[in-house]
Structures are given as structure tokens and as C-alpha cells.
Amino acid sequence: MLILVSSNHNMNILPDHITNKDIHNIASRIIKGSRITTDDAMTLYSECELPLLGIMAGIMRRRINNNYVWYNRNFHLEPTNICIYNCKFCSYRRRSGDPDSWNYSHDEMMEIVRRFDKTDVTEVHIVGGVHPSHDIYWYGGLIKKIKLHRPSLHIKAFSAVELDYMIKKAGLSLEEGLTYLKKCGLDSIPGGGAEIFDESIREKICPEKTSSERWLHIHETSHKLGITSNATMLYGHLETYFHRIDHMTRLRDLQDKTKGFNAFIPLKYKKSNNNMGYLGEVSIMEDLRNYAVSRIFLDNIPHIKAYWPMTGKEVAQLSLFFGTDDLDGTIEDTTRIYSMAGAEDQNPAMSAGAICKLVGDTGYIPVERDSLYIKR
Ligand code: V47
Ligand code: SF4
């Protein structure tokens, strides 16, 4: 028997053949609604059968998100792929002058924004390389123009790495820089640049980049200023389960303090066209395991996002049975980050109707949201 309700109303979700006492114990705590520890997370990662992980993550996702799967109508704006850094996993960055590099002017980007004028997109996601010549006033000017043109468009912009550079370059404190951008029209911050927080792994894969401590401090400061954000985790490269749990622990601790994270987005390392390709990629089973453990562990972050341009549509759909509840958005073929890293969808775009069908086929209920997860 798979599911049985005992006389003391403590549901036993374990198949009879699971005899691991630790897993029994963790499952009963998940059912009761208690938080799992870092040791529990290690046990789940390394010893728990995948179907059972899916059941436990399903209990968590229903508690937090009912049977809903959230999506929005959005497009990306990627100002440049020229970057002062050279992260080893990055397939996107180019040197200035490279024929594959781009560096759009404000006018060119406003042209992209205007392309969506007659459509019902609600969000623009702006992220790109860290260009040495662009300062906070250049970025502030851009988002002011977008807001002036379309005030209702939510601007989710600039990874903590871009923010770090532009704010330092201007000689401003974090509070001053973020307050200035908020006044220009910044509504929320995406989750990029987190990679993996463990300093020894970070040193190997992106040594020059904003430190983990600074990344967390930027998000903490933005939360204090009322700017909510997302958090990512790049996995499937040199890190071990220990490093993933450390990463999520730092996020869970910060979220306990600020409650400013909307979503957690695990990003699987993709091997094409970068300097770490020799590592290959982890399996889809590993993706599902990782989604499930993150849903169970991060009990205080409301949404776990399956970013379909990275996973592919089918894995995103499957992940809904392993704790994810958010599929990001329609994207409108406006991002290059994952196509350049070898994602199967080279022109990522999905209509709202196609997203609803993809979700509906699983039995979950698709819900269109705004950028702050309010039903539209
Ligand atoms: O920080 C770069 C990742 C991130 C590769 O907040 C790679 O809603 C895998 O942050 N393989 C940027 N990943 C994208 C990002 C993001 C994406 C979707 C939604 C949101 C959100 C944020 O892309 C980088 C890095 O972790 N990345 N190269 C690669 N080869
Ligand atoms: Fe630059 Fe971002 Fe690529 Fe790193 S991941 S090289 S910061 S564009």
C-alpha cells in the first residue's frame, strides 16, 4: 500500500519496502509541517527514491501553492553580452569587437520594447553582461524611458552582479544606488549571479565575480528597501550535494530575516560553447531530485520556478510532479543565454495558450500571474 492514514491521523506516505528510518522520520516531519535540517536534506539527496521525493515535494507544493501553476506574459531585454568577467560556465559573454557581440543603444532597446506595444505582456526582464562603459545613470535612464513609455510594465532588472558593478562605479552606497534605481522605475530584481555560494567552488568557476557575501547583502538591502527579488542556483558542475545544501541554507536564513524572495530557480549547468563542457550535464533524474529537495528544504520561499527555456518544455512539465509551481513566462523569443549554452529550444517562445495546455495536461491548474504572483 502506498498511502495510508493511521489512527492518530499521522499519514504514512511510505511504500512498505522503504525501511530507512531516517526517511520515515523526515517524511513524518514534512507531513506535520516542520522544517527539515541540512542533514535531512543530505539524506533526501543521497538516499531517497525519486518517486517518494516527488510525493513529499508534492505535499509541500500543495501546502504553499495548492494545485496552481503560475506563469506570466513577459519578454527579455539583454542590453549587451560584452562583459568584464569571464565565468567559466558562460556561453554568452563575448569580447568587445567580437562579431557575435552586441551592445544596444537606448533607442535600439526602446525599439524592442515598442515591438510589444500592442500585446498584453506585463513584465520586462532586463539582464546582460557587465559592460565596462555603462554606469548606473545609463541603466537608470533606460528604465525611466521604459516606464514613461509603458507605466504598467513591471521592470525586473539587473542581477546582483550588474548592480554591484554599476553602484560601485558610481561611488554610491548600496542603499543610495538601489533607491536611485527604484525611483527610475526598478520594480524587482532577478535571481542571476548567485551561481553556487560555496567560496571554494565559486573560486573555480567564476573567480572574479561578485562574492557570495556581497550577492546576499545586495538582495538583503533591496528587500529592506521594498524591492523583492528571486534567487538562482547553478548546479550540475563541480559542486556536491553539500554545496547545494549550503547554498540553500544561506538563502533560507536570509529569507527568514527579510521574506523578500519570491522564487527560487535552480539552473542546470548547460555544457555547449563554454570552458566547462568537459564536465557534461547531469541527468533529468538529477534535475527532478534537485527540484524536489529544494521545494522541501526552502519552506519559506513561496515559488520554485522551472525555467522552461533552460529545462525544455517537457522537463518543465514533468518537474511539476517534483515540487515546481512556476513556469516563468511566454518569453517571446527574446533571450539568448540558454540557446547559446545549447538548450534544445533555440528560439524560446510559448503562447499563454500553450502554457495552459502544458499545465492542464498534468491535472494542475494554470494561473496567469503578475510579477509579484498576484492572479490576473
Ligand atoms: O547567473 C549562465 C546562468 C544566469 C549558464 O530571476 C548558465 O526569474 C546554465 O539568472 N548553463 C542568468 N546556466 C539567468 C538568470 C535567470 C534566468 C531565469 C529566470 C530568472 C529570474 C533569472 O544564467 C547566470 C548563470 O547562473 N548561466 N551560463 C550555462 N552554461
Ligand atoms: Fe559575464 Fe554573467 Fe557571463 Fe559571468 S555569467 S561572464 S558575469 S555575462
Side-chain angles (χ1 to χ4, degrees):
M1 177 189 299
L2 185 65
I3 298 186
L4 139 178
V5 181
S6 75
S7 53
N8 67 358
H9 304 289
N10 196 0
M11 193 190 286
N12 177 11
I13 59 163
L14 298 175
D16 293 339
H17 71 279
I18 302 281
T19 52
N20 184 320
K21 289 244 164 37
D22 292 337
I23 291 179
H24 271 267
N25 190 292
I26 296 167
S28 67
R29 273 181 290 124
I30 291 169
I31 292 163
K32 278 194 210 128
S34 338
R35 174 168 278 191
I36 68 160
T37 65
T38 54
D39 286 347
D40 296 335
M42 184 56 89
T43 303
L44 293 182
Y45 263 133
S46 48
E47 293 174 38
C48 190
E49 290 184 0
L50 189 56
L52 184 55
L53 265 183
I55 294 171
M56 293 195 242
I59 291 172
M60 292 292 289
R61 74 94 67 211
R62 268 188 207 91
R63 193 175 285 149
I64 304 170
N65 287 291
N66 205 329
N67 278 345
Y68 302 141
V69 175
W70 307 89
Y71 71 94
N72 73 350
R73 296 177 200 246
N74 63 350
F75 68 101
H76 286 225
L77 199 52
E78 298 182 348
T80 181
N81 65 345
I82 295 169
C83 188
I84 57 165
Y85 302 124
N86 196 0
C87 305
K88 294 206 171 61
F89 52 80
C90 182
S91 317
Y92 174 82
R93 175 250 187 207
R94 292 291 180 276
R95 282 176 210 286
S96 173
D98 185 298
D100 290 339
S101 68
W102 69 82
N103 182 26
Y104 295 138
S105 65
H106 280 192
D107 285 351
E108 285 169 319
M109 285 187 278
M110 288 310 294
E111 204 40 59
I112 298 174
V113 172
R114 276 193 285 272
R115 228 192 277 155
F116 296 97
D117 277 359
K118 298 257 165 2
T119 72
D120 39 19
V121 293
T122 62
E123 174 190 276
V124 57
H125 177 159
I126 311 178
V127 75
V130 180
H131 193 290
S133 339
H134 298 329
D135 60 18
I136 195 167
Y137 306 107
W138 188 86
Y139 285 109
L142 171 68
I143 59 180
K144 261 189 207 165
K145 284 180 192 165
I146 297 173
K147 272 285 177 204
L148 199 63
H149 177 71
R150 193 163 173 175
S152 64
L153 198 62
H154 179 106
I155 300 183
K156 179 171 95 181
F158 314 132
S159 72
V161 178
E162 292 165 279
L163 290 167
D164 186 23
Y165 183 78
M166 68 176 92
I167 292 172
K168 273 191 189 141
K169 190 175 165 82
L172 299 175
S173 69
L174 275 182
E175 284 79 2
E176 288 165 341
L178 289 165
T179 305
Y180 164 75
L181 290 170
K182 190 176 179 190
K183 280 197 190 124
C184 293
L186 180 71
D187 293 306
S188 67
I189 295 176
E195 318 315 357
I196 200 84
F197 290 144
D198 179 87
E199 281 74 11
S200 64
I201 305 288
R202 203 174 181 84
E203 180 62 26
K204 291 191 179 118
I205 65 171
C206 51
E208 313 144 299
K209 192 168 205 164
T210 303
S211 70
S212 304
E213 197 186 345
R214 178 90 174 155
W215 189 100
L216 289 159
H217 188 46
I218 290 170
H219 282 259
E220 179 169 6
T221 309
S222 77
H223 296 172
K224 281 187 189 145
L225 294 171
I227 308 167
T228 60
S229 69
N230 290 339
T232 56
M233 175 175 76
L234 183 71
Y235 70 95
H237 44 89
L238 298 176
E239 92 296 349
T240 63
Y241 289 147
F242 173 85
H243 301 120
R244 292 190 207 169
I245 296 166
D246 166 68
H247 188 95
M248 292 193 286
T249 302
R250 297 195 208 190
L251 290 173
R252 191 169 77 172
D253 290 349
L254 178 54
Q255 180 74 339
D256 279 341
K257 271 166 82 180
T258 66
K259 303 199 170 34
F261 288 117
N262 295 320
F264 178 65
I265 310 146
L267 295 170
K268 172 201 186 113
Y269 164 68
K270 303 288 285 181
K271 65 177 182 186
S272 300
N273 308 316
N274 62 61
N275 290 327
M276 292 178 9
Y278 64 92
L279 290 172
E281 290 179 12
V282 296
S283 68
I284 291 170
M285 298 296 140
E286 188 56 34
D287 297 334
L288 300 176
R289 175 171 295 276
N290 190 57
Y291 279 127
V293 177
S294 34
R295 175 60 294 169
I296 296 165
F297 188 78
L298 293 171
D299 57 353
N300 57 359
I301 299 191
H303 304 286
I304 305 291
K305 183 184 286 192
Y307 183 60
W308 68 263
M310 182 272 291
T311 59
K313 291 170 192 158
E314 281 155 1
V315 174
Q317 186 182 42
L318 192 57
S319 77
L320 300 177
F321 296 103
F322 292 85
T324 67
D325 64 276
D326 179 20
L327 290 178
D328 200 89
T330 52
I331 307 284
E332 318 287 346
D333 192 12
T334 47
T335 178
R336 304 285 297 125
I337 297 178
Y338 283 97
S339 48
M340 289 170 85
E344 72 183 39
D345 212 328
Q346 288 291 298
N347 297 94
M350 196 163 25
S351 67
I355 296 177
C356 290
K357 165 98 175 73
L358 186 146
V359 174
D361 286 349
T362 65
Y364 286 111
I365 303 166
V367 183
E368 185 182 344
R369 61 167 175 84
D370 69 9
S371 301
L372 302 174
Y373 293 83
I374 307 296
K375 184 176 184 302
R376 284 178 49 85

